[in-house]
Structures are given as C-alpha cells and as structure tokens.
Amino acid sequence: VELSNCIIEDSREGIHISNHGTGLITPKDITISNCIIKNSLNTGIYLQGLEDDLIKNVTILNNVINTTTTSDGISLRQCDNINVVGNVIRNSKRIGIEIINTDNSVINNNILCNNFAELYCGTRSSTHAKNNTISNNTAFTTDDYNSDNPNNSGIFVNTVSTNTILLNNNVYNHLSYNFLIRGSSNKSNL
C-alpha cells in the first residue's frame, strides 16, 4: 500500500488502516509520505493491527498534520517494524505520536509542537512494546499554548515498554514534564 502527496482536510480520520474483523488480510509493507492532513476529527494517521496479527513494515515519512480538532496526530497500535521519520505534527488535542503495543520501530527526526502530550510509548492491556528507538525528535510548546494548557507534557515512555532507546531528543517548555521515563530496562541519552 502506498499513499503519497495527499491533501486530506475536514475528515473523521485522515488515514485509517486496520485489520479489524474475522478473515481479513493484515495490511503490511505500507508507505505514507508527503501528505498534508488538516482538521481530522479523530486521528491524522491511525494504524491498528491485532494482538496476534501485527501490522508490519510501515514507513510514515515527511507528512504534515496540523489541526486543532484532531485527538492524535499519529497513532500506532499493534504494529511491528514502523519507521516514523521527518513528520511535523502540531496542535493535537491529545498526543502527537502514540506508540501502543508496537515493537521494533524507529521514531526519528520529527517535529512535535503544541500537542497536549507530544509522544507516548507503552502498552494498553498487552504485554509488548519493545525495542523501539525514539531519536533526534524536537518537541516543544509555545508560551501562548502553555497559558491555556498548563498540564501539557513531552515524551513519556511507560514502565511496560522494554528496551526503548531515547537518543538526542530536544524536548522543552512543557509545564507538566519534558521527559517521563518509567522502567529500568529503558535506555536514555536525552
């Protein structure tokens, strides 16, 4: 599957790829690149596999998600081997990039600005979120945004996420926290 050079505006979800349902083929080998997504109600880019049937081999490259209505910029759930590189995500009401129950993925060189939470890596009712690398990202809030959102936060790596590597991220100006890392098996060079 390849989606490139898309302009998506005023949609429920910008791009939604999942394998919900019995007998469906699991999507894999997906590239989403150079798209502009504005004013999606729920999520800019949403991928969800099943616990025992992960969506695999996805590249999300050089997209711009800029909206004040979107809950999440990019939400990845039950995935494996995902590369999220060079995206700009602004103004999401909940999370800029969300990695749930996702393994062996790289989140690199993204710009996250004025999302209520910039990036979350962990699990929800699952046992896996492992071997993810979060590197060279810039995440910040502006002073005007902070005056209306005093609980905004930066990067959160949850306890159940194992062997997550945080490397050379530039995260600043969040009032709640810039980095919150739970778990002794995560490696940090912020």
Side-chain angles (χ1 to χ4, degrees), residues 28-47:
K28 62 182 179 179
D29 302 323
I30 299 165
T31 300
I32 301 169
S33 64
N34 302 310
C35 292
I36 297 171
I37 301 170
K38 297 190 283 186
N39 300 326
S40 295
L41 184 59
N42 292 329
T43 306
I45 298 173
Y46 180 86
L47 275 69

Side-chain angles (χ1 to χ4, degrees), residues 19-26 50 53:
N19 63 348
H20 293 266
T22 304
L24 295 177
I25 296 172
T26 301
L50 299 172
D53 194 11

Side-chain angles (χ1 to χ4, degrees), residues 105-157:
S105 296
V106 174
I107 311 301
N108 183 43
N109 202 30
N110 298 284
I111 297 173
L112 303 157
C113 177
N114 290 347
N115 301 292
F116 188 75
E118 303 296 354
L119 193 147
Y120 173 85
C121 179
T123 70
R124 296 210 175 115
S125 64
S126 174
T127 58
H128 69 90
K130 60 185 181 288
N131 304 325
N132 295 304
T133 300
I134 300 168
S135 61
N136 302 308
N137 298 288
T138 299
F140 64 97
T141 57
T142 61
D143 290 338
D144 288 345
Y145 181 85
N146 284 344
S147 65
D148 293 331
N149 299 282
N151 295 317
N152 66 66
S153 57
I155 293 178
F156 177 29
V157 178

